[in-house]
Amino acid sequence: MDQISNKDIKFLDRNPPQFSEDEASRIAHDLFDLTGDFRPLKSERDQNFRIRSGNGEGYVLKLSNAVEDPGVIDFQTQALRHIEQQEPALPVPRVILAKDGASFAMVGDGRGTQHIARVLTYLPGVILDEVTSTPALWNSMGKIAGRMDLALRGFFHPYARQEHPWDITRCAELRPHTYHIADALARQNIENVLDHMAEDILPRLKSVRHQVIHGDLDANNTLTDSDQPGSIMGIIDFGDMLFAPLVAEVAIAAHDAGVANEDLIESICTVAAGFDSVLPLEEEEIDLVYDLVLARFAITATIIAWRKVMTPDQPDYIHESEEPCWVAVDNLLTTGRAQVRASLRRICLFPPYCPIEGADDAPDDTVRLIARRRQVLGARLSHFYSQPLHVERGRGPWLYNAQGKPLLDAYNNVPVAGHCHPHVVKAIARQTAALNTNTRYLYSSILNYAERLVSLLTGDLSVCVFVNSGSEANDIAWRMAQFVTGQRGALVMEDAYHGITEAINDMTPSNLKRGLAPHVQTLVSPDPYRGKYRYGEPDLAERYAQDADRAIVDLTRAGFKPAAFMIDTAFVSNGIPDVPDGYLAAVTKKIHEAGGLLIADEVQAGFGRIGTHMWGFMAHGLIPDMVTMGKPVGNGYPLGVIVTRPEILDAFVEETELFSTFGGNPVACAAGMAVLDVIEDEGLMDNARLTGDYLRDGIREMMPRHAWIGDVRGRGLLVGVELVRDRATREPANVETNRVLDLMRQNGVLIGSEGSHGNVLKIRPPLVFRREHADILIEALDRSLAAL
Ligand SMILES: Cc1ncc(COP(=O)(O)O)c(C=O)c1O
């Protein structure tokens, strides 16, 4: 037998007050100065009368159950007033004050019991329960719930924390009462739901947003206009309000929509989408909706079954609502959390769920994704690894695969500030919400950003052109160089990569399947480990630079003078060689003497990666004529920049229109600005130097154990590890390098490879990669090389 507490008695007690119509009309007249036509309304615990006054206005006289605490009534009154102030258009009842100015009065029922009497305005309309339910109606229900919770934000009252049997956060307390549920299968399901709530969901609920919510926004408490399908005309009955997780409001409304609709999942999603469109849900919240809807069904079913036993004389409609709860619980459990969550995420525009490691319901649809990818992106589009990596989430230096396994990202330089850095995300989101337009208008974000960017450069590099990618930046820089010099020849490094436009593809030997175009010449890579001139030999810089003389002569012979030398100042596609000091300065001098310009492609080296300087060209002691930026500029938001001298840009723009629809849009600039904030605030350039040196030292320390390691080099957090089969002959270990990439992945670390032989491990993590991450990488590399 149940132990029944006072609180239980309170909610099990269904005995409404029993005033006659005459008594009620006297109360209305004497205390509230209201007269008119009286009609009783249905209520479980209270006694309500509709009053139609002479002037046509409608009111409701509410005579509360004797056990009602005046504090509860005050809670409702204050909440309705708060809503009225915050959103006057929201259709909720207004509080009519008594003649003495109080919001309620006490009245005796002639049997010595006192009841609270109060008056609210009457809202017209029919309850949703009495009209055909449609998705439009449920969407509106979600929306109005969102509007109401927005209006209630910031409201509090001491009674908001009262104990309440329907409180979803206390559902575990109902667990001892489930034995009243007659159907064994339903009982088992409901017990499972309550147990899961207690173990997993209730602890999670503690950290989501809480506020005062209506708490019972269902089809009985929502009014519609039968002549205007889909419209909501009123919300009534604020008797279940409490301070609770905001998302519980969604689940309560959604659970009711589910009962009324054939397609339970669709109706849950429709309510959630409506709510989310007004009051955006957070990711943790959307992932709780499924369990909270289940919990609400479980609560309803348990309370109904319990009451049925304790107070058997209840109206039929209450008993009848028990079985639909069982059916809904069964339906939801059969459909499963993963499917409902996926639908909810899709409709509320959240990315696919990425579980925490070990979650039992992790989606494993990689095979299906590969097939779909081939279908719509073409069968030949390359991907990393023979078995492509399916990632759905990133944070800091970590990527998470579809099963939630964390992988240390030591490959990607685009998220320079770390994957999804909250500061960058926020900047993008806030600017997106405010304005996104183009450079033909005046707006401040582009100017703030351009000023900050040029303050980080040197010389007369003081004007910016904003585009959308590194390729585009290089393409425009190349066009400017040709225009300004009046020359057409291009110089690039062998194996260089500069992008994908037609012009830049010609300047990207690493892409070219056929030979070079006649207007392009390549310079040999200044690689003192494997190149023509090696460590220990004299005048490395000057000897390598002499190749520029040869290239200029060859170009001239082919009928072209050099317009520009475009150089990735980190030499990444050359295998990150240890470029001899003075080499680039010597080459630049020769190019300038031949009338060409220097374009420093900072797509790889820029933004502090090399640890000692913000830009690669600075480490080489140069001032280029143009600087191009891409990849890390926006931490993943598409953004490319060309910075040059005013006279170069002015001359070019005089000749041709220069406009990029998206280039330099306010959102891109907000992203760029936020990236600079993070680099500065988190000391990422210093970190690149310190962690990069630590990492190189750690890898060098394993050289006695692993003869595969021929050379370890690089600057800051750009590390090249050249693998050889024989340290004496330096035979490139290219096949083995690929194997190491796979082994590293198996060991939880992502890296890449580079160099003309593909035998240089490329380690180029987000700059939030710190010592503890370097230790993980070193250990994984140790294990991977041992397994070769
Ligand atoms: C040095 C360099 N320049 C230019 C580019 C092209 O940038 P995007 O892919 O943004 O066009 C890349 C891309 O990898 C690069 O590494």
Side-chain angles (χ1 to χ4, degrees), residues 468-472 474 497-500 568 601 603-604 630-631:
N468 309 286
S469 68
S471 301
E472 216 184 328
N474 283 337
Y497 184 90
H498 292 293
I500 58 169
D568 161 12
D601 177 338
V603 169
Q604 293 285 345
K631 287 188 189 275

